Each structure stands twice: as structure tokens, then as C-alpha cells.
Amino acid sequence: MTTVPAQHARVLSGMRPTGRLHLGHYHGVLKNWLKLQHEYECFFFIADWHALTTHYEDPSLIPEATRDMLVDWLAAGINPGAATLFVQSRVPEHAELHLLLSMITPLGWLERVPSYKDQQERLKEKDLATYGFLGYPLLQSADILIYKAGLVPVGEDQVAHVEMTREIARRFNHVYGREAGFEDQAEQAARKMGKKNYKLFDRLRRAYQQQGDHEALGVAQALIESQGNLTIGDRERLLGYLEGGGRVILPEPQALLTQASKMPGLDGQKMSKSYHNTIALRDEPAKIEKALRTMPTDPARVRRTDPGEPDKCPVWQFHRVYTDSRIQAWVQEGCRSAGIGCLDCKQPVIDAVLSELAPIQERAREYEAQPDLLRNVLNAGCEAAREVARETMDEVRRAMSLVSV
Ligand code: TRP
Ligand code: SF4
């Protein structure tokens, strides 16, 4: 089992283009990406093929949703200078890897993915007994493995997909990573590190394989990573050799579980377009203000003079995201004593949401006005992603004996 050491990890994540982003996406996903883009090499992509797995009958909204998604990302502060932003269908290598991985993927693995039966149930009005829908977690595996991503930020519902990706990678490496003369080649590669490091590596490898010493494994992985004179192939051989397997062509990724967002919808349920309880990042301020003013409160507070209970009120959930402890204490006290009205209570939330969104909306307008810039960002991102994807596919094809004369 080889996992990329976290400090060298590439981060990859994607979103389906299904419409404009809302505060749930911002607090649940994008703010996390904003942080990651400064800490790791990040690849973020718009998963238009994934959208087709469920919306194949009406794909006409995908182009606009793709563009809106890019504008929302940029407006939120995702920086194309720091992260590679691209569209899945413009890196067709994903499809080739999906096809090749399908050769070694047992049907049972796909049928067992929890979201498979769930989603089919939930989206009953659509016929999802398709090949594309069954295969979509494997497409996701290809998305991840083609960049050799080490960390995949996802929500709870996607962890099983990353888990399956690890199994696919393990199987791939097991089947195709065993070239003739593997051990000799690995030994030769190890000697390239110099006598002292070779000895150290050898000792660590034995400590791990014979005593299961995981610390030794970590140190040895770091040692390999720190060698400037090793080729990628040597590195993969050594990583595999270290763990007693074959060459690691596709390293196993790890899920980076995104904390469930505290951001509720206007009705207190999870914020989601299908519940019609969202505030979109680019909604008009007047619309946002109205939505917050009319959102439900503790049903026990019928009259202004009735005391309320913040724990039973969705507005309180907003306070937890948006206001400081002084205001929160004011809410707690004023609500329970009927000292404040619900509109008084909502005002600091309204102010905070509007001031959070003002600069985002301003930037969105600027990007909207520069279609050429948007096009250039995607062109450059798709090209950069493709370069990495092509390299992986060269290795994958070679490992699977798909080399022409
Ligand atoms: N399946 C993800 C979703 O529905 C989107 C996605 C596609 C993705 N490929 C990915 C996420 C690869 C992370 C990594 O939200
Ligand atoms: Fe909710 Fe605030 Fe009204 Fe209390 S005062 S019920 S917390 S909106």
C-alpha cells in the first residue's frame, strides 16, 4: 500500500456544474480550497462528464453552468496563478484512463458503492440504469489517479469513492507494476542514492517489512522523496520495493474530509438547490435581505412579546457562522427574555452576509465583463492539466503493454 506522503501531495477536487454556487458551497467547499491553494499544488476541475451521468437527457445547461462555476470560483478568490483550473471534458485522457481501469474493475465494486443504489432511489424520475451512471465512481478514480493526487478534499458522501480509488490503484500496481527484473532494478535505483543513504534505506526497509515499523516507512519515503537525482521511474520502483510490492505507478490517494459546513439553508435544513433554501453568491443584495428578513424563526415566538429559544431557530445557526461572541450573547439573552425582536436579531446577520458577498459580487462582475480572460484561464488550465495527464498515460500505456512499434 503506497500513499503519497502528505507534504508532497498534489490536491485534486472537482465539482459538477449544476448551476450558480451558493453560501453552502462557499462555506463548505470553497473556503477550504482557498486555504489549500496556498499549501499544495492544486488541481480543481469542473466535472462536466459527471454532470452528464445524471443529466444526459438535457445537457443544454452545462455550458452556462460551467462558465458560472468558473466565475464563482474566481470571484470567491480561487487564484488561477496558484491552482490549475480546468474542465474535465477538455482533458480527454481522463476517458482513456477510465476505459483502461474498467478492464480491472470488478462489477461488484461498483455495485457496492453506497451512492449507487441511494441515488438511483433518490432520482427515481430519471432512468439511471445506465452504464455511465454505474461507472461514474470509476471515472472519479480516473480523475484522481491521472494526476497522482495524494489528497482529495471531499464531503462525507464521497469518501467511499476515494476508498474505491485506493483499491483500484492497489490492484493496478499489483497487476501491472511487476516488470521483469523488478528487484534488481530497485536495488540499482537504491544505490544511486549513495552508499550512506543506501545503507539507511536498506535498514529502514527491513525494519518496516520485518517488524512492521511504520515510522521507518515514513522516514524511508521521505528519504526517497528528498533525492534529487532519481528519475520518476526509480522513485516509483523504490516506493514499491520499500513496501514489498511492485512498482507504484498509480499512488493511492487519501480523502481529505471536509468538515460538514455549519451553514444551514434559510429553513434550517442543509442548504441545497433542491430544497429551495439557498442564498446564491450572486443574488441581488435586495433579494438576499428580503430572504433573510422573511426566513422562519422559532415557531414559539408568535408575538413580539413571546420569549424564544435560539436552539430552535435557523437564524441562530446563521449567527454561529456570521457573528461574534458579543452579538451572540445579545441574541441568547434578548431572545429568551423577549428583549429583542426577530428583525432586530436578523439585522447583524443581514449586514454580515451582505458585506461578505459584496467583494465577491464585485469581482464576479469584473470577470463577467472579461470573457477573454475567462477563456484564457481555462485554456491555460486545461493545457497544464493535460500535460500531467499525458505523462501519466504514457506510463499507464507502457505498463499495460500498449506500446506500438
Ligand atoms: N463526484 C463529485 C461530486 O459529485 C465530483 C467529482 C468528480 C470529484 N470527480 C472528482 C471530486 C474527483 C473529487 C475528486 O461532487
Ligand atoms: Fe430566532 Fe433571533 Fe427571533 Fe430568537 S430572536 S427566535 S434567535 S430570530
Side-chain angles (χ1 to χ4, degrees), residues 186-260:
E187 278 289 322
Q188 265 175 33
R191 285 178 200 282
K192 287 187 197 161
M193 297 193 289
K195 206 172 187 163
K196 223 172 94 212
N197 284 334
Y198 171 77
K199 277 201 169 144
L200 177 61
F201 174 78
D202 199 53
R203 196 155 47 74
L204 293 166
R205 185 176 69 83
R206 284 173 205 281
Y208 173 65
Q209 289 189 11
Q210 291 163 15
Q211 284 116 44
D213 181 344
H214 281 266
E215 209 177 306
L217 174 65
V219 177
Q221 283 169 337
L223 178 68
I224 296 168
E225 296 292 332
S226 71
Q227 302 299 308
N229 62 335
L230 293 178
T231 63
I232 297 173
D234 280 342
R235 218 177 281 253
E236 288 163 350
R237 268 175 213 105
L238 286 176
L239 288 170
Y241 185 49
L242 176 62
E243 297 193 36
R247 190 157 83 96
V248 175
I249 302 160
L250 300 175
E252 292 177 38
Q254 271 176 297
L256 194 61
L257 186 61
T258 313
Q259 289 304 320

Side-chain angles (χ1 to χ4, degrees), residues 52-350:
L52 275 181
T53 63
T54 47
H55 291 65
Y56 57 88
E57 282 187 275
D58 182 17
S60 64
L61 294 177
I62 292 179
E64 195 183 320
T66 297
R67 191 194 140 85
D68 278 340
M69 182 163 273
L70 177 67
V71 170
D72 284 338
W73 284 3
L74 296 172
I78 302 295
N79 176 355
T84 301
L85 311 181
F86 66 99
V87 177
Q88 184 184 31
S89 64
R90 288 184 52 187
V91 187
E93 284 78 8
H94 289 226
E96 185 183 355
L97 185 57
H98 178 207
L99 174 86
L100 293 180
L101 294 178
S102 78
M103 307 300 172
I104 59 163
T105 305
L107 267 181
W109 290 13
L110 292 171
E111 287 161 347
R112 269 203 308 276
V113 171
S115 61
Y116 179 58
K117 291 251 154 33
D118 271 17
Q119 290 256 52
Q120 262 183 347
E121 276 295 304
R122 253 176 4 103
L123 304 173
K124 262 207 207 86
E125 72 285 1
K126 294 183 180 153
D127 180 6
L128 293 180
T130 58
Y131 181 50
F133 185 69
L134 175 68
Y136 110 81
L138 186 65
L139 179 57
Q140 183 164 354
S141 298
D143 298 336
I144 297 168
L145 296 174
I146 206 159
Y147 299 101
K148 303 190 176 184
L151 294 172
V152 184
V154 284
E156 193 84 60
D157 58 321
Q158 300 279 312
V159 172
H161 296 172
V162 179
E163 206 41 57
M164 191 189 84
T165 303
R166 293 170 64 87
E167 284 172 29
I168 299 280
R170 215 172 298 156
R171 188 169 175 117
F172 185 94
N173 295 328
H174 183 77
V175 178
Y176 302 111
R178 293 180 181 274
E179 0 160 59
F182 172 73
E183 309 234 318
D184 289 347
Q185 287 196 44
E187 278 289 322
Q188 265 175 33
R191 285 178 200 282
K192 287 187 197 161
M193 297 193 289
K195 206 172 187 163
K196 223 172 94 212
N197 284 334
Y198 171 77
K199 277 201 169 144
L200 177 61
F201 174 78
D202 199 53
R203 196 155 47 74
L204 293 166
R205 185 176 69 83
R206 284 173 205 281
Y208 173 65
Q209 289 189 11
Q210 291 163 15
Q211 284 116 44
D213 181 344
H214 281 266
E215 209 177 306
L217 174 65
V219 177
Q221 283 169 337
L223 178 68
I224 296 168
E225 296 292 332
S226 71
Q227 302 299 308
N229 62 335
L230 293 178
T231 63
I232 297 173
D234 280 342
R235 218 177 281 253
E236 288 163 350
R237 268 175 213 105
L238 286 176
L239 288 170
Y241 185 49
L242 176 62
E243 297 193 36
R247 190 157 83 96
V248 175
I249 302 160
L250 300 175
E252 292 177 38
Q254 271 176 297
L256 194 61
L257 186 61
T258 313
Q259 289 304 320
S261 163
K262 286 208 205 83
M263 191 69 234
L266 287 163
D267 55 359
Q269 298 186 76
K270 178 182 153 104
M271 189 178 278
S272 159
K273 229 175 68 172
S274 47
Y275 299 152
H276 305 289
N277 63 359
T278 62
I279 294 175
L281 299 184
R282 282 190 272 160
D283 276 347
E284 292 284 338
K287 181 180 169 190
I288 296 173
E289 181 159 358
K290 180 155 174 247
L292 288 166
R293 280 172 166 274
T294 53
M295 77 183 270
T297 59
D298 176 1
R301 275 203 95 176
V302 183
R303 281 176 298 262
R304 166 71 175 75
T305 48
D306 296 331
E309 173 49 55
D311 287 339
K312 294 184 181 149
C313 177
V315 178
W316 171 245
Q317 302 301 318
F318 274 74
H319 273 286
R320 299 198 355 167
V321 176
Y322 281 102
T323 62
D324 61 26
S325 53
R326 194 179 54 80
I327 294 180
Q328 292 183 5
W330 169 78
V331 172
Q332 292 280 331
E333 208 283 312
C335 179
R336 295 196 173 111
S337 64
I340 59 170
C342 290
L343 280 179
D344 303 327
C345 178
K346 287 171 171 178
Q347 196 56 49
V349 168
I350 294 172

